[in-house]
Amino acid sequence: MKTPSPYLSRGFSLIEVVLALGIVSFALMAIVGMLPVALTTQRDAVNQAFAVQALNDVSQALRGAYRLTPGGPYKFPAPLPASMTAGSGNQTLTLSEDGLLTTGGGSALGAKGVVHIEQKAVIAASIQPVFISVAWPASAVRSGDEWDKAQGSVDAFVYLNLP
């Protein structure tokens, strides 16, 4: 009967371990290289979701400003400023991190975005089209029909029934 030699090992050789570590490190470098792209995409998605929610809130607030419900005026958690009333023309409002709308420029402390509300010509004497655009970051400036210095924006038309 043959006895096993104490010099024969049953583990991995140094070359096998080095090759395995090389393959794993190559895969990890690829994953780490994709992190900045994933973080940018996630930040853009959060900003767009926030803007869409603000757009929805503003459109609901405008509908409430024009229409009374049987229980009284529309209750909105972040009401439009008193200066934004029917027939007041264009308004640019600052949107804060907590969803509140205020008048003034986008330089306000804690500002996350800017909301532009533009009333169009009345249709058939009873329908008021309103164009709403929300842009981010708060440093975005509306010039004409476009935003300057904006990373992104969402737009919508809302048609309101006038009393």
Side-chain angles (χ1 to χ4, degrees), residues 26-48:
F26 182 74
L28 285 176
M29 289 301 287
I31 291 171
V32 169
M34 291 174 22
L35 279 177
V37 174
L39 290 174
T40 301
T41 303
Q42 188 268 345
R43 185 188 68 231
D44 291 344
V46 167
N47 286 335
Q48 187 172 13

Side-chain angles (χ1 to χ4, degrees), residues 4-150:
S5 169
Y7 298 109
L8 291 177
S9 71
R10 297 176 190 241
F12 296 105
S13 70
L14 182 60
I15 292 175
E16 292 171 329
V17 171
V18 168
L19 283 174
L21 285 175
I23 292 170
V24 168
S25 65
F26 182 74
L28 285 176
M29 289 301 287
I31 291 171
V32 169
M34 291 174 22
L35 279 177
V37 174
L39 290 174
T40 301
T41 303
Q42 188 268 345
R43 185 188 68 231
D44 291 344
V46 167
N47 286 335
Q48 187 172 13
F50 186 79
V52 168
Q53 182 62 47
L55 185 77
N56 183 46
D57 290 346
V58 169
S59 68
Q60 292 300 321
L62 284 174
R63 286 188 178 127
Y66 286 103
R67 185 185 65 222
L68 295 177
T69 59
Y74 179 77
K75 302 296 183 196
F76 184 59
L80 291 171
S83 63
M84 185 65 211
T85 57
S88 65
N90 301 343
Q91 287 276 333
T92 299
L93 306 170
T94 302
L95 179 65
S96 68
E97 185 77 39
D98 56 1
L100 295 177
L101 293 168
T102 57
T103 57
S107 60
L109 187 63
K112 185 164 179 83
V114 182
V115 178
H116 177 76
I117 302 170
E118 183 178 336
Q119 297 184 23
K120 301 293 187 179
V122 175
I123 301 172
S126 64
I127 298 175
Q128 172 76 58
V130 178
F131 174 73
I132 305 168
S133 182
V134 180
W136 64 92
S139 60
V141 177
R142 187 80 177 178
S143 64
D145 290 341
E146 296 182 4
W147 289 101
D148 290 335
K149 300 187 231 172

